[in-house]
């Protein structure tokens, strides 16, 4: 059974879309096996987005992700990394299809509501970073 790291970003909490987004995950019959609300520290955010260090949007995305509470989750289910990426929709709003979270609920590249791990390796790393080695902290 695969696991992925999912985060509802600060815009999702501010816009009161937590229930909507969690509802979509539950309606897909995926399992939420850990969940917490926190405002990420700068250190955590910089580590989370370390692959983007040096890119022009790095500071902006770190500022944004630390701007308020997020809802961090571990989601479990067969093939859930790909299923969640498909449910999220593309990063570029022009390419985010209707029916996806981003395609239905946002038109912004930065304020795009949700993060999901993009590979099995990234998922292990991100679950460890946000929830500790056992994935449950
Ligand atoms: P995440 O799930 O947040 O990692 O989104 P993603 O995997 O769809 O996109 P990616 O990892 O490439 O980028 C991480 C985040 O940086 C995006 O979700 C955006 O918030 C932001 N971002 C990515 N590309 C751009 C860009 O070209 N301009 C701006 N302003 N922000 C970007
Ligand atoms: Mg990404």
């Amino acid at each position: 059974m695969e696991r992925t790291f999912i985060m509802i970003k600060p815009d999702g909490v501010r816009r009161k879309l937590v229930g909507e987004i969690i509802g979509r995950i539950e309606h897909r019959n995926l399992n939420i096996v850990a969940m917490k609300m926190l405002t990420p520290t700068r250190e955590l955010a910089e580590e989370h987005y370390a692959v983007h260090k040096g890119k022009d949007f790095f500071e902006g995305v770190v500022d944004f992700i630390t701007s308020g509470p997020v809802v961090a989750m571990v989601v479990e289910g067969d093939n859930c990394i790909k299923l969640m990426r498909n449910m999220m929709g593309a990063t570029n709003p022009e390419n985010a299809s209707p029916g996806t979270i981003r395609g239905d609920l946002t038109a912004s590249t930065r304020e795009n509501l949700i993060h999901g791990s993009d590979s099995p390796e990234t998922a292990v790393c991100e679950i460890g970073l946000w929830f500790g080695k056992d994935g449950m902290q």
Side-chain angles (χ1 to χ4, degrees):
M1 189 78 86
E2 197 169 74
R3 284 184 166 194
T4 186
F5 173 70
I6 298 296
M7 169 177 46
I8 302 174
K9 297 183 181 184
D11 55 330
V13 175
R14 279 196 281 270
R15 291 179 54 199
K16 303 183 174 67
L17 291 170
V18 172
E20 165 76 31
I21 293 169
I22 288 177
R24 288 178 181 226
I25 296 169
E26 290 193 326
H27 290 158
R28 197 77 197 268
N29 203 21
L30 296 170
N31 300 311
I32 298 169
V33 296
M35 176 158 63
K36 62 184 175 187
M37 186 180 233
L38 72 159
T39 300
T41 60
R42 213 161 173 91
E43 189 187 9
L44 176 59
E46 286 181 356
E47 183 69 31
H48 175 77
Y49 280 125
V51 316
H52 298 302
K53 208 166 179 148
K55 295 185 188 163
D56 58 354
F57 62 80
F58 179 73
E59 289 300 326
V61 81
V62 169
D63 285 345
F64 168 57
I65 222 71
T66 56
S67 68
V70 303
V71 177
M73 284 173 263
V74 179
V75 170
E76 190 178 80
D78 285 338
N79 213 14
C80 68
I81 295 173
K82 187 70 181 148
L83 292 184
M84 282 304 310
R85 292 290 296 187
N86 289 345
M87 275 175 65
M88 286 162 52
T91 316
N92 181 339
E94 287 175 22
N95 299 329
S97 305
T100 65
I101 291 166
R102 289 170 174 169
D104 287 347
L105 303 171
T106 183
S108 163
T109 302
R110 180 177 298 161
E111 304 207 1
N112 59 9
L113 296 172
I114 184 163
H115 164 83
S117 308
D118 59 14
S119 72
E121 297 73 31
T122 319
V124 169
C125 236
E126 292 177 349
I127 291 169
L129 179 65
W130 289 80
F131 284 94
K133 267 207 297 284
D134 64 358
M136 289 294 158
Q137 278 163 42

